[in-house]
Amino acid sequence: MKKALDKFIEIWSNKKEVLGILLCGSYAVGLGTNKSDIDIRLVLDTSHQKSFKGLSTIDGYSFSYLGRNKNNIVRKFNLDYFNNSRIESRNFHLGLVLYDKNNSLRELKKIARYYFETPFVTKMDHESLKDRMYSLYSLYAYLMETDTGSPYFSFNYFQFMRMGLMYY
């Protein structure tokens, strides 16, 4: 995996618009397997206003990458946070810096840490709480009715867990 990752870094770090390369996902936290893809975030300069996604294979390893400029990354942290999510800030907070031109990734990791560690602000009335509990109960009941061999079981399980974590 290291050789394939080095090749990926060499390809992208030589592009003038790339300010940083971050390894995230399962490999960043030490849980990658031979079946895992390698998740990458590319930090781009401000000449790139639009984000892009891509897939590539190097030496049999599958790379999944997402490129955004710094401003759009911070906007994504903010949008996620106000939707009670920390997905992208988690990626940057826990991700491993592979290339960092001008300390752009270092700064983004500081911002990500702030979003990742700041508790969500949620004001919950009694009716909203009852709605959430009913939704969670419904997801649980549906999960219990799903055969564990069904391709939908994992999806339903993760939906239930995501909602449970989000609500509590």
Side-chain angles (χ1 to χ4, degrees):
M1 192 279 283
K2 174 91 170 91
K3 287 182 183 180
L5 189 58
D6 288 342
K7 288 179 184 179
F8 184 91
I9 294 167
E10 184 179 342
I11 291 166
W12 285 95
S13 64
N14 288 322
K15 297 179 185 286
K16 66 178 180 148
E17 67 272 13
V18 175
L19 302 177
I21 302 172
L22 183 79
L23 175 67
C24 50
S26 58
Y27 278 105
V29 295
L31 298 174
T33 68
N34 291 339
K35 294 181 181 180
S36 301
D37 65 340
I38 300 170
D39 297 302
I40 301 285
R41 294 296 186 270
L42 300 171
V43 179
L44 308 173
D45 65 23
T46 55
S47 69
H48 286 270
Q49 292 304 310
K50 293 188 177 187
S51 302
F52 65 84
K53 291 181 179 183
L55 295 170
S56 64
T57 303
I58 300 173
D59 295 341
Y61 288 92
S62 177
F63 287 81
S64 172
Y65 54 91
L66 173 63
R68 288 190 177 116
N69 72 34
K70 188 175 166 183
N71 295 335
N72 287 341
I73 292 168
V74 173
R75 273 192 215 105
K76 179 64 174 158
F77 293 164
N78 194 49
L79 179 66
D80 281 357
Y81 178 80
F82 284 104
N83 284 306
N84 290 337
S85 173
R86 292 188 177 99
I87 293 171
E88 199 62 6
S89 63
R90 180 185 185 278
N91 282 329
F92 275 79
H93 177 58
L94 299 177
L96 302 176
V97 176
L98 302 175
Y99 172 74
D100 192 10
K101 182 178 177 181
N102 304 328
N103 291 320
S104 297
L105 256 174
R106 184 183 200 194
E107 186 178 333
L108 283 168
K109 283 183 70 68
K110 285 181 186 177
I111 296 167
R113 181 178 180 175
Y114 173 79
Y115 278 101
F116 186 74
E117 294 179 348
T118 302
F120 294 128
V121 178
T122 307
K123 189 173 182 179
M124 185 73 59
D125 62 25
H126 187 68
E127 283 303 308
S128 296
L129 181 61
K130 282 176 27 181
D131 288 344
R132 284 186 172 195
M133 294 305 293
Y134 177 76
S135 296
L136 213 65
Y137 173 78
S138 295
L139 282 170
Y140 177 76
Y142 190 69
L143 178 64
M144 292 296 102
E145 293 172 3
T146 307
D147 179 24
T148 56
S150 166
Y152 297 106
F153 181 81
S154 293
F155 174 78
N156 292 330
Y157 173 78
F158 287 110
Q159 285 292 93
F160 172 73
M161 293 302 292
R162 183 178 70 82
M163 294 291 252
L165 290 171
M166 199 166 73
Y167 289 169
Y168 290 98

